[in-house]
């Protein structure tokens, strides 16, 4: 289904859309307040951009350095060319350790690889331990946001889910009670776990260590209790030196939620005595994206979610409308690189307002890339008849000023004079749920000419 | 070819020409903070409490008044052994720490701009301690509070096998964006500065 078709499903519940829109805008607002407190924030973003751009230009060297250091630290490093290989490696490690119960903290990469269904099919228990992820796991849905996975669910839906799956009492959606119950339920899972899976926010070439950021403490509860810790990372998570964490940890949480830093920034380097630590480095299309000069900067992404919170389309269409692991503006420039046909409508799910690029902590030119994907998609994939025809017509109107002038006059007159029922009739998508402005009497051209004429008169 | 070599070869073939690595000049981010005032403010922003203290004994007696009902207690700070109700040498697996009520640890690094306090293998007999405890108490000296993360990493030449910046108690806002303190980690965080 196209983005707009999926969006219209989300749009059926108007109240929910309004809430979603406002809640995310509020998060964007908190981000603004927080970054304005940082002196030279723009310079910090430039550093974030510069370090990531440099990293990509020397990535193979840094990956080898990271691997060598991680090995020295007693960590086993594995490489996966694609999702399937990643899943097989995870399974193999689990089988070698006779692990049946697995606790997982948030990792968009394992979502991308569809690890959970793969392991479940092998009879293993996989529990997502981030509260938002657990909610969507119980609801059998994918996350709809990379930082706020259950932002599309209201408290009553969570209440019902927990009653059904965790046996909680009806509580009119009390977040305090529900979180407390989730804590108890997941505490048990942490205690029983045979292995813990985490993502990686930053992997440091210089030390072979990696950093995982959470607010809930779930990555640590899992990793320190279970005998085996498996951390999964995309190749682009590398940063050259430890001092670079100073830049990225300052950028990440402020951009994500407006917090000055996440509650826990955990630096893993060596396994604890008697325990095992594995790192899986995954390509899955990233080296391909690296080959595209116009789009490679999308690999700078540190998954803060700021571009989603600010996007007027995302806020009103919901994360599921993108039908991809990474939704929103960044998802719309990553997904077409994976499957141009399947994701051909995503780069059009944007007003090109550029707000995403303005908030991105690593200065990815997201809206410019959306525009570039559009050029490629219109050439390479068949476009709907109406769109193609209307573009042709527009093209010919714009080509001749006299024609443009006449059409403009008719349009202004129609907006002023025709009844609303006609203006907002079905073919006019712009008239859905909003009134169009009254057509002005004169065009900009007329207004300008009159002004110039008045000027000379007054001189 | 192994996947490793395959991935590395592809990256080598597809990467752009080498770009220079920018230098971090931390001085341009220096807003001349009042370090202690900022630290206290930020710890409160992230949901923790800051108290001033003069000695380890004073920390213990204050903790006992704040948490009068605590049963299982453990402290790693010097001269406070009598406070401990737990003998870590008898703990066979981390899972047995599940009922820990209070943990007190001393840290040698904290950050003013975000209220984060560093603890690592150097202070932690078991890594799970600061996460599994119900209430976490951290002790830090004023001279060990640095203004920004940049200065923190200058001091952290060795992060040891495991280390963590902790900013406030564990929290979540995953249910309709309402903030709830106490997710999987500690339910409260108290920081003593001396
Ligand atoms: S593209 Fe930028 S703003 Fe969007 S999630 Fe990634 S880092 Fe954050």
């Amino acid at each position: 289904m196209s983005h707009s078709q999926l969006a219209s499903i989300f749009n059926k519940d108007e109240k929910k859309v309004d809430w979603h829109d406002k809640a995310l805008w509020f998060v964007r607002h908190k981000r603004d307040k927080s970054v304005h407190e940082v002196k030279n924030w723009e310079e910090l973003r430039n550093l974030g951009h510069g370090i990531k751009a440099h990293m990509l230009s020397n990535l193979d060297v840094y990956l080898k350095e990271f691997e060598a250091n991680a090995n020295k630290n007693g960590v086993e490093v594995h490489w996966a060319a694609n999702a399937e290989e990643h899943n097989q490696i995870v399974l193999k490690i689990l089988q070698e350790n006779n692990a049946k119960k697995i606790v997982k903290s948030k990792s968009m990469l394992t979502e991308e690889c569809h690890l959970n269904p793969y392991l479940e099919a092998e009879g293993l228990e996989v529990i997502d331990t981030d509260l938002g992820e657990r909610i969507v796991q119980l609801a059998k849905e994918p996350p709809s946001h990379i930082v706020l996975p259950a932002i599309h669910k209201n408290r009553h839906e969570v209440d019902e889910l927990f009653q059904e799956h965790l046996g909680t009492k009806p509580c009119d959606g009390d977040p305090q009670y529900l979180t407390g119950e989730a804590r108890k339920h997941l505490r048990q899972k942490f205690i029983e776990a045979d292995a813990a899976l985490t993502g990686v926010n930053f992997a440091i070439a210089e030390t072979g260590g990696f950093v995982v950021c959470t607010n809930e403490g779930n990555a640590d509860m899992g990793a320190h209790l279970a005998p085996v810790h498996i951390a999964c990372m995309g190749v682009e998570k590398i940063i050259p030196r430890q001092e670079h964490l100073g830049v990225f940890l300052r950028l990440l949480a402020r951009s994500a939620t407006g917090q000055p830093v996440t509650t826990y920034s955990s630096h893993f380097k060596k396994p604890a005595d008697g325990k095992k630590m594995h790192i899986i480095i995954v390509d899955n299309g990233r080296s391909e994206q690296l080959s595209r000069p116009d789009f490679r900067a999308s690999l700078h992404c540190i998954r803060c979610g700021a571009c989603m919170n600010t996007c007027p389309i995302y806020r009103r269409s919901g994360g599921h409308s993108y039908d991809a692991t990474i939704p929103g503006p960044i998802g719309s420039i990553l997904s077409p690189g994976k499957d141009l046909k399947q994701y051909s409508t995503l780069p059009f799910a944007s007003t090109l307002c550029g707000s995403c690029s303005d908030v991105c902590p690593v200065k990815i030119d997201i809206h410019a890339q959306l525009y570039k994907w559009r050029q490629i998609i219109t050439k390479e994939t068949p476009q709907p008849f109406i769109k193609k025809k209307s573009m042709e017509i527009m093209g010919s109107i714009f080509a001749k000023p006299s024609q443009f002038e006449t059409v403009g006059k008719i349009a202004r007159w129609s907006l002023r004079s025709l009844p609303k029922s006609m203006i907002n009739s079905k073919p006019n998508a712009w008239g859905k749920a909003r009134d169009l402005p009254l057509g002005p009497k004169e065009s900009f051209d007329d207004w300008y000419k009159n002004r110039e004429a008045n000027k000379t008169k007054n001189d | 070819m192994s996947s490793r070599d395959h991935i590395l070869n592809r990256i080598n073939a597809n990467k752009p020409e080498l770009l220079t690595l920018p230098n971090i000049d931390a001085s341009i981010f220096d807003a001349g903070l009042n370090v202690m005032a900022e630290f206290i403010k930020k710890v409160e922003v992230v949901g923790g409490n800051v108290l001033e203290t003069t000695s380890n004994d004073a920390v213990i007696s204050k903790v006992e008044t704040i948490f009068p009902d605590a049963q299982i207690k453990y402290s790693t700070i010097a001269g406070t052994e009598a406070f401990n109700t737990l003998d870590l040498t008898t703990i066979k697996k981390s899972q047995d720490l599940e009922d820990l009520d209070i943990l007190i640890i001393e840290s040698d690094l904290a950050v003013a701009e975000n209220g984060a306090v560093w603890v690592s293998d150097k202070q932690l007999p078991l890594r799970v301690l600061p996460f599994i405890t119900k209430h976490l108490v951290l002790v830090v000296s004023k001279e060990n509070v640095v203004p920004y993360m940049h200065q923190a990493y200058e001091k952290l030449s060795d992060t040891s096998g495991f280390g963590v910046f902790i900013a406030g108690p564990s929290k979540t806002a995953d249910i309709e964006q309402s903030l709830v303190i106490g997710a999987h980690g500690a339910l409260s965080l108290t920081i003593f500065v001396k």
Side-chain angles (χ1 to χ4, degrees), chain A residues 19 23 27 37 39-40 43-44 47 50-51 53-54 56-61 63-64 67 79-81 85 129-132 135 147-151 153-155 158 175-176 178-179 183 186-187 190-191 215-218 220-221 224-225 235 240-247 249-250 254 259-272 275 277 281 283 287-288 290-291 296, chain B residues 2-32 38 41-42 45-46 94-99 113-116 118 121 127-128 130-134 136 148-150 153 156-187:
Chain A
W19 182 85
V27 181
E37 276 187 32
K39 187 179 167 190
N40 271 325
E43 282 307 314
L44 199 62
L47 276 176
I51 295 167
H54 162 81
L56 289 178
S57 76
N58 200 30
L59 181 56
D60 50 334
V61 176
L63 281 166
K64 282 185 254 180
E67 178 189 40
W79 301 77
E85 193 176 6
T129 58
D130 172 88
L131 177 58
I135 293 169
V147 175
L148 321 161
I151 187 74
K153 287 240 169 288
N154 69 35
R155 61 181 76 202
V158 178
Q176 188 84 37
L178 292 170
T179 304
R183 176 182 162 104
L186 289 165
R187 195 41 89 94
F190 286 125
I191 298 284
N215 279 322
E216 300 185 5
N218 53 321
D220 288 280
M221 283 296 286
H224 303 314
L225 286 173
V235 289
R241 295 210 284 266
Q242 182 166 287
E243 64 167 336
H244 298 145
L245 285 172
V247 173
L249 292 186
R250 294 190 76 196
R254 287 185 174 96
Q259 292 168 265
V261 69
T262 49
T263 303
Y264 304 105
S265 310
S266 302
H267 299 50
F268 294 90
K269 204 156 79 185
K270 297 176 185 161
K275 298 203 177 188
M277 207 183 269
I281 301 176
D283 181 343
S287 59
E288 177 91 38
L290 186 63
S291 72
R296 65 166 65 104
Chain B
S2 70
S3 285
R4 175 189 184 275
D5 295 343
H6 179 73
I7 293 169
L8 289 172
N9 288 346
R10 280 186 61 115
I11 289 175
N12 184 277
N14 292 349
K15 69 183 180 180
E17 242 170 78
L18 188 67
L19 297 164
T20 48
L21 177 62
N23 261 329
I24 303 174
D25 174 7
S27 69
I28 66 165
F29 303 113
D30 188 349
E38 185 70 12
K41 187 176 121 194
K42 285 297 160 64
V45 165
V46 297
S94 297
Q95 281 78 352
D96 297 338
L97 291 164
E98 216 201 325
D99 297 320
E113 69 160 321
N114 53 25
W118 175 257
D121 275 355
R127 289 179 183 176
V128 80
F131 307 99
I132 205 166
T133 184
K134 281 196 193 70
L136 178 60
Y148 301 99
M149 290 301 268
H150 307 294
Y153 283 107
L156 274 180
S157 52
D158 177 16
T159 56
S160 78
F162 171 77
V164 56
F165 279 111
I166 300 178
S170 72
K171 49 183 98 61
T172 181
D174 274 343
I175 301 176
E176 267 196 21
Q177 280 297 289
S178 20
L179 180 69
V180 178
I181 301 284
H184 301 302
L187 301 171

Side-chain angles (χ1 to χ4, degrees), chain A residues 146 301-308 330 356 359-362 364 366:
Chain A
I146 58 176
C301 177
I302 58 172
R303 305 283 189 263
C304 71
C307 57
M308 292 159 209
I330 178 65
C356 46
V359 296
C360 176
V362 284
I364 302 173
I366 307 171

Side-chain angles (χ1 to χ4, degrees), chain A residues 276-287:
Chain A
K276 287 183 203 152
M277 207 183 269
H278 296 264
I279 294 172
I280 308 177
I281 301 176
V282 185
D283 181 343
N284 205 31
R286 288 161 177 77
S287 59

